[in-house]
Amino acid sequence: HAGVACAHKEREALLAFKQGITGDPGDLLATWKSDEPDCCRWGGVQCSNLTGHVLELHLVDEALAGEISHSLLALQHLEHLDLRLNSLQGPTGKIPEFLGSFKNLRYLDLSGIPFSGAVPPQLGNLSKLYYLDLSTSWHLGMDWVNLGRADDWPYLVNMLPSLKVLSLSGCFLTSANQSLPRLNLTNLEEIDLSCNVFDHPVASCWFWNVTSLKHLYVGATSLHGQLPRTLGDMHRGNEPTNLEKLCNLTVLYLDASLSYGNVAELFERLPQCSSNKLQELHLQSNNLGGLAILQLHGNDITGSVPASIGNFTNLKRLDLSANHLTGHVPSEIGMLGNLTRLDLGHNDLGGLITEEHMDGLQSLKYMYLSDNQLKIVVGSEWLPTFRLQEAVFASCQMSPSFPTWLKSQVDLLLLDISSTGISARLPNWFCNTFSKVINLDFSNNQISGGLPINMDIMSLEYLYLSSNDLTGQIPLLPRNLSLLDISRNAFSGLWPLPSNSGAPKLRGIILYSNYIRGQIPTSICELGLYALDLANNLFEGGLPQCLNMTDMTYLILSNNGFSGRFPTILETCTSLSFLDLSHNRFSGRLPMWIGSLRSLQFLRLNHNMFYGNIPRNITALTNLYHLNLAANWISGVIPPQLSNLTFMTRRYILDPDEIIHGFQVIVGELSIETKRQQLNYRGYGALEILSIDFSSNYLTGKIPEVITSLAGLVNLNLSRNQLNGEVPDKIGAMQSLESLDFSNNNLSGEIPSSISNLTFLSILDLSNNNMTGRIPSGRQLDTLYINSPSMYDGNIGLCGPPLQRDCPTNNNTSAHGDEKRDKNHSMPMSLFFGLGIGYVVGLWAFFCALLFHKASRIAYFLVLDKFYDEIYVFVVVTWKRYIRKADIS
């Protein structure tokens, strides 16, 4: 270097980098000294002769140990960084994200450094980069790095003949149909190109020529068209090339946009090798593979499993689940002696599964046949050759008696025989055989009798016995048990769990729909429950004050005889998501602290005896999807801050993060009152019915206009209150409404025309109010009226179709009518006015004549005296006659 000395800031950055080096066996950094002012003279450093800025850093194959220091960010003019074949992975072992901040970098080589984890997406910001090597000698992994401009990426990869693993998932690659005249990738065993957008025929892809391939992942790549007739055959024009077939392929994940008519055609296109090595075939939707290999439109695979499946004797894993496969399962599947995992679940398969299907599956450990129309029929003395670890037969039909062949499956960890038609008692070998089982589901059968008394020897963590005919007391439970579901059985009497349950880890108790009575015992206080469902029983009293509720997420106490004030122990339940106290005898005011339960999503307090106002801070429950306060004695106004219920402003979308601790399974049936009927929903499905129900209370005041901001509401019921004012004018903005009930209030004014925009409405009731004016028109409203002609009853001011009550004529006609009415009424009014004036004038003329004309005055009084005399004589004579007749009688 003979130019300008390096910048002081960049010199200090290199010295800081040196401090992060813990090993330098080749003394490469020996020249990096603080007393040497010009860093451009240090080993491995190259600078610009004009500016002195560091442009290149070469520290290659010197066995440096340590980390790549963040201080290098000061080298903002760096164009070339080569650190290959060192041990600079640092304490995290990950590629530093800050390398994406070198805006001028053109060359980056970190190959041979044993980094782990994902390639940071920040490297995609290196817009000037033309060379990047992050590979080891056998593995090139650059998942989720933006390589969208690298159209020639297969040619670059082809220059690495020792490469064994190529992982370029999600790299924004746009094509894989390049033609490679000479293929150097003779050692390549695994390719992952998933989550790119190739959008071209699958048969044109270059990787079909890689005969050493064992694992191929091309899911979610928009590849389409037909696979090569036999995998490995490539077509150029109309002439097929004679390439070696993919006889080493063991794992195949294919894209969901590939298409064939039915499953049999796929097997025809699998490698026709003398010794087929295919071990895993994935056609499940979750794998993005194969679902639509057989069908152009995606997840509708048709056809039946072909008998040729028996030819793949090395197959270890077969997954054809979540499709629409029909027909019988071929008995040839029993020829797959190496098969360890078989999944045919969630299809439309029918027929029998017999001993012939299962005898040859001696390696089988995982078997999933659920949600088909299959019937498992084996002899009572049959013993399987396999030892299953997981067996899921839900909805398959078994014999009414308990399957005796399960007695041999002592290695089971998961067993699901729910909805299989078993109607017997649990066998005496139940606890010993299933002692290792962690997850056991016998629900939806007709299993009778009591539970075995030695259950405490089992390893169970999850036990589902819902919807059977079990009775009696519950014995000591397995020590590791976390969830117990014995809902929908015939347990009766007092609390069925022993005072010392023997299960200190119990976190979920589901007892709904039994015949249990009495109070909740204080022994429950020893458990840190997060789920308690006692609905539809005969409980009474209140909750134990000692109950540990800090972790409670799900509390359902509906349809019992619980009483007392709103439970104060709930104040500390900051994790509570589901709370149902409905159909009990709770009373008193709703507490102000209810607004602090910020995790609430489902709140039902209806059909109790709560009174007082709705707490204003109930609108602080921003996560709320369902709010029901109906059939109480609640008064006052509707809180005006309803727009704060932000989760009600949009449709419910299930967040996968909400499903914790098996919570989706824990949540049982939740009752929703909507559309004039009671509907039961299971799991988080209840939250899809966004609802507010304040009906049958004593609410007054107006309906807040802000209620129209709750555009996600499906059900809104304010009926049977004392609300007044008008229906909010923007009611039509609530586009999700399916049920709207404002009946039996004192609402006035016209029905807003925007109500005709509610195209999803199936229930509308505005009856028994004081509404006036013309009813809005609309096809949806007309249909609703046909189904419910009483929806406008009790509003005498409403008029127009569909009612048989005409509205007043329009304004012009009305004014003309008023003018005619005034004209007709003017004649009698003038007549009466004239008669009155004439009477007054005549009377005054008469009095004036008496006053000023003497002769008239004398004549008037003579006549008056004569009239008086005649009246007097008539009265006296008549009276005398009456007296005489009275004396004679």
Side-chain angles (χ1 to χ4, degrees):
H1 175 69
V4 181
C6 71
H8 175 74
K9 182 178 180 181
E10 297 182 7
R11 178 178 174 274
E12 295 299 317
L14 291 174
L15 289 174
F17 170 80
K18 181 181 177 181
Q19 292 179 357
I21 301 300
T22 58
D24 182 11
D27 289 332
L28 176 63
L29 305 184
T31 59
W32 292 31
K33 298 180 179 180
S34 57
D35 56 358
E36 171 55 63
D38 188 3
C39 66
C40 296
R41 300 181 181 275
W42 297 352
V45 179
Q46 292 188 15
C47 302
S48 167
N49 290 332
L50 298 178
T51 64
H53 290 303
V54 177
L55 300 181
E56 299 184 13
L57 192 58
H58 298 266
L59 302 174
V60 180
D61 198 13
E62 295 294 337
L64 295 176
E67 63 179 342
I68 303 174
S69 173
H70 193 273
S71 64
L72 291 183
L73 275 178
L75 309 180
Q76 284 299 307
H77 297 272
L78 194 66
E79 297 179 355
H80 189 113
L81 178 60
D82 191 348
L83 302 176
R84 66 180 182 269
L85 301 176
N86 286 292
S87 299
L88 298 177
Q89 66 272 21
T92 66
K94 297 181 179 180
I95 299 175
E97 295 179 356
F98 70 81
L99 293 178
S101 300
F102 290 102
K103 297 180 180 179
N104 293 303
L105 202 62
R106 299 183 179 182
Y107 185 103
L108 176 60
D109 193 344
L110 303 178
S111 61
I113 302 178
F115 287 119
S116 61
V119 176
Q122 287 83 354
L123 295 188
N125 297 330
L126 302 176
S127 57
K128 295 184 178 180
L129 200 68
Y130 65 84
Y131 184 93
L132 175 65
D133 193 347
L134 306 178
S135 66
T136 63
S137 60
W138 58 273
H139 183 177
L140 176 57
M142 299 176 63
D143 293 348
W144 304 104
V145 176
N146 190 341
L147 303 177
R149 297 183 179 181
D151 295 333
D152 58 347
W153 65 272
Y155 301 100
L156 301 176
V157 170
N158 195 37
M159 298 170 63
L160 304 172
S162 59
L163 193 66
K164 290 186 177 181
V165 178
L166 173 63
S167 185
L168 298 176
S169 176
C171 291
F172 299 91
L173 300 174
T174 57
S175 63
N177 58 356
Q178 295 82 357
S179 176
L180 302 179
R182 178 179 176 82
L183 191 67
N184 298 320
L185 300 173
T186 55
N187 294 305
L188 190 59
E189 297 179 355
E190 180 175 329
I191 297 178
D192 187 352
L193 301 177
S194 59
C195 300
N196 287 289
V197 187
F198 295 139
D199 195 20
H200 57 70
V202 64
S204 63
C205 294
W206 61 268
F207 47 71
W208 297 122
N209 293 332
V210 183
T211 57
S212 57
L213 266 186
K214 295 181 178 179
H215 295 222
L216 176 59
Y217 306 87
V218 285
T221 52
S222 297
L223 290 170
H224 54 81
Q226 294 188 348
L227 290 168
R229 185 66 187 179
T230 53
L231 296 182
D233 283 358
M234 296 293 292
H235 292 68
R236 295 195 182 102
N238 295 322
E239 298 181 4
T241 59
N242 296 320
L243 299 173
E244 184 178 359
K245 298 175 179 64
L246 296 179
C247 294
N248 294 311
L249 196 65
T250 60
V251 180
L252 177 61
Y253 280 80
L254 291 169
D255 193 281
S257 58
L258 306 179
S259 61
Y260 279 103
N262 57 54
V263 70
E265 294 187 37
L266 174 66
F267 288 102
E268 291 176 6
R269 287 162 174 76
L270 291 175
Q272 303 297 314
C273 306
S274 56
S275 176
N276 195 294
K277 297 182 180 181
L278 189 66
Q279 295 178 358
E280 296 186 31
L281 174 62
H282 298 271
L283 302 175
Q284 187 178 17
S285 58
N286 291 337
N287 297 327
L288 296 175
L291 247 177
I293 290 174
L294 317 170
Q295 190 75 29
L296 280 171
H297 297 290
N299 309 334
D300 294 320
I301 298 179
T302 61
S304 58
V305 180
S308 58
I309 186 69
N311 296 332
F312 295 86
T313 54
N314 288 320
L315 200 63
K316 292 185 177 181
R317 176 170 177 163
L318 178 61
D319 188 345
L320 301 175
S321 61
N323 290 291
H324 293 293
L325 298 178
T326 57
H328 295 184
V329 177
S331 59
E332 285 80 1
I333 206 166
M335 300 170 63
L336 304 179
N338 292 312
L339 198 67
T340 61
R341 187 182 188 95
L342 172 64
D343 193 346
L344 302 177
H346 301 279
N347 279 288
D348 299 314
L349 296 168
L352 303 180
I353 297 293
T354 65
E355 300 169 12
E356 188 178 2
H357 289 82
M358 297 187 285
D359 269 337
L361 303 178
Q362 62 267 15
S363 302
L364 198 64
K365 295 183 181 301
Y366 307 93
M367 189 174 189
Y368 309 93
L369 302 178
S370 60
D371 296 303
N372 285 285
Q373 288 81 49
L374 296 170
K375 186 174 184 179
I376 301 175
V377 178
V378 295
S380 59
E381 303 298 325
W382 177 70
L383 289 177
T385 57
F386 49 72
R387 297 277 288 269
L388 295 176
Q389 294 181 12
E390 295 185 6
V392 179
F393 304 131
S395 300
C396 294
Q397 288 302 302
M398 294 182 167
S399 61
S401 59
F402 205 91
T404 55
W405 66 270
L406 287 175
K407 185 177 181 180
S408 65
Q409 302 304 300
V410 295
D411 292 336
L412 277 171
L413 302 176
L414 167 65
L415 175 60
D416 185 350
I417 53 174
S418 60
S419 304
T420 53
I422 299 174
S423 59
R425 291 173 173 263
L426 295 177
N428 54 15
W429 48 262
F430 173 87
C431 295
N432 290 320
T433 296
F434 302 139
S435 61
K436 296 181 182 179
V437 174
I438 295 175
N439 192 322
L440 183 62
D441 191 345
F442 286 177
S443 58
N444 293 296
N445 285 290
Q446 298 175 1
I447 299 174
S448 58
L451 295 177
I453 60 174
N454 58 335
M455 290 185 66
D456 56 327
I457 70 171
M458 303 180 74
S459 303
L460 281 172
E461 296 181 14
Y462 303 95
L463 177 59
Y464 304 96
L465 299 173
S466 175
S467 300
N468 281 285
D469 296 320
L470 294 169
T471 58
Q473 288 293 116
I474 297 175
L476 286 178
L477 297 171
R479 182 168 182 80
N480 293 325
L481 192 66
S482 175
L483 172 66
L484 173 65
D485 184 353
I486 56 172
S487 59
R488 291 184 177 276
N489 276 282
F491 291 102
S492 60
L494 299 176
W495 182 258
L497 273 69
S499 57
N500 178 15
S501 65
K505 299 180 182 179
L506 194 60
R507 296 295 179 265
I509 300 177
I510 314 298
L511 301 181
Y512 72 88
S513 297
N514 279 282
Y515 304 97
I516 306 170
R517 57 183 173 84
Q519 296 188 346
I520 302 176
T522 56
S523 60
I524 202 173
C525 299
E526 302 172 6
L527 304 173
L529 296 176
Y530 67 84
L532 178 63
D533 190 343
L534 306 180
N536 303 321
N537 278 286
L538 305 172
F539 286 104
E540 58 189 14
L543 299 183
Q545 290 301 311
C546 60
L547 191 60
N548 182 3
M549 304 283 283
T550 54
D551 296 327
M552 187 69 73
T553 303
Y554 181 79
L555 179 61
I556 309 296
L557 305 178
S558 57
N559 290 292
N560 279 285
F562 289 110
S563 59
R565 304 280 179 172
F566 193 92
T568 56
I569 58 174
L570 298 181
E571 187 172 1
T572 60
C573 298
T574 55
S575 300
L576 198 60
S577 293
F578 287 75
L579 175 60
D580 190 348
L581 306 181
S582 64
H583 294 275
N584 280 288
R585 294 196 292 270
F586 289 108
S587 60
R589 294 179 178 272
L590 297 180
M592 289 296 296
W593 49 260
I594 197 171
S596 64
L597 304 178
R598 299 297 179 88
S599 298
L600 273 179
Q601 296 176 291
F602 185 92
L603 177 60
R604 292 182 77 231
L605 306 177
N606 52 293
H607 292 85
N608 280 284
M609 294 179 285
F610 293 116
Y611 59 83
N613 295 343
I614 301 175
R616 287 181 175 269
N617 64 350
I618 202 170
T619 58
L621 303 177
T622 56
N623 293 321
L624 210 56
Y625 288 102
H626 189 93
L627 175 59
N628 193 335
L629 306 180
N632 281 284
W633 297 344
I634 296 174
S635 57
V637 300
I638 298 175
Q641 296 84 16
L642 289 175
S643 58
N644 293 341
L645 301 174
T646 51
F647 274 43
M648 290 188 177
T649 60
R650 50 181 167 77
R651 278 281 191 177
Y652 173 74
I653 300 175
L654 177 63
D655 182 355
D657 293 337
E658 294 173 344
I659 306 178
I660 56 174
H661 308 299
F663 192 55
Q664 177 68 21
V665 180
I666 289 175
V667 177
E669 287 186 354
L670 291 173
S671 177
I672 304 294
E673 294 162 2
T674 181
K675 299 182 182 179
R676 295 175 179 161
Q677 55 186 326
Q678 190 121 339
L679 304 176
N680 291 326
Y681 289 85
R682 190 162 184 83
Y684 272 85
L687 298 184
E688 296 179 8
I689 309 299
L690 278 72
S691 175
I692 289 181
D693 192 343
F694 293 160
S695 62
S696 299
N697 280 289
Y698 298 93
L699 296 173
T700 57
K702 297 182 178 181
I703 301 174
E705 184 72 32
V706 295
I707 203 171
T708 61
S709 65
L710 306 181
L713 278 183
V714 174
N715 176 63
L716 177 58
N717 191 347
L718 306 179
S719 65
R720 295 180 295 281
N721 279 286
Q722 299 170 14
L723 300 171
N724 55 41
E726 300 181 352
V727 175
D729 190 57
K730 297 180 181 179
I731 193 73
M734 306 179 74
Q735 293 286 316
S736 301
L737 276 179
E738 297 179 15
S739 179
L740 176 63
D741 193 346
F742 288 167
S743 64
N744 294 281
N745 280 286
N746 299 316
L747 300 176
S748 58
E750 297 185 351
I751 301 175
S753 60
S754 66
I755 203 169
S756 60
N757 297 332
L758 303 179
T759 54
F760 290 110
L761 270 185
S762 58
I763 296 292
L764 174 63
D765 195 346
L766 302 176
S767 63
N768 298 310
N769 281 286
N770 300 317
M771 306 189 74
T772 59
R774 184 180 297 275
I775 295 175
S777 61
R779 180 177 301 176
Q780 182 71 15
L781 296 180
D782 294 342
T783 302
L784 291 176
Y785 183 79
I786 293 173
N787 296 328
S788 180
S790 63
M791 57 192 280
Y792 300 124
D793 285 0
N795 293 278
I796 60 175
L798 290 178
C799 59
L803 301 181
Q804 302 298 318
R805 187 184 305 132
D806 293 336
C807 290
T809 53
N810 59 38
N811 292 337
N812 292 334
T813 305
S814 178
H816 183 62
D818 291 343
E819 183 180 344
K820 291 175 66 178
R821 184 168 58 251
D822 292 342
K823 184 176 179 181
N824 294 335
H825 284 226
S826 65
M827 291 178 62
M829 289 296 293
S830 60
L831 176 61
F832 296 146
F833 184 70
L835 290 174
I837 293 177
Y839 176 76
V840 173
V841 171
L843 187 61
W844 272 105
F846 172 73
F847 282 123
C848 288
L850 294 179
L851 186 60
F852 299 108
H853 195 268
K854 184 177 180 180
S856 297
R857 183 168 60 251
I858 293 172
Y860 170 75
F861 286 108
L862 287 174
V863 172
L864 188 61
D865 288 341
K866 184 180 179 180
F867 179 72
Y868 171 79
D869 291 341
E870 290 178 354
I871 292 297
Y872 176 78
V873 172
F874 174 78
V875 171
V876 171
V877 172
T878 303
W879 175 254
K880 292 292 186 179
R881 289 176 180 174
Y882 174 76
I883 294 298
R884 187 181 298 115
K885 288 181 179 180
D887 291 341
I888 294 173
S889 61

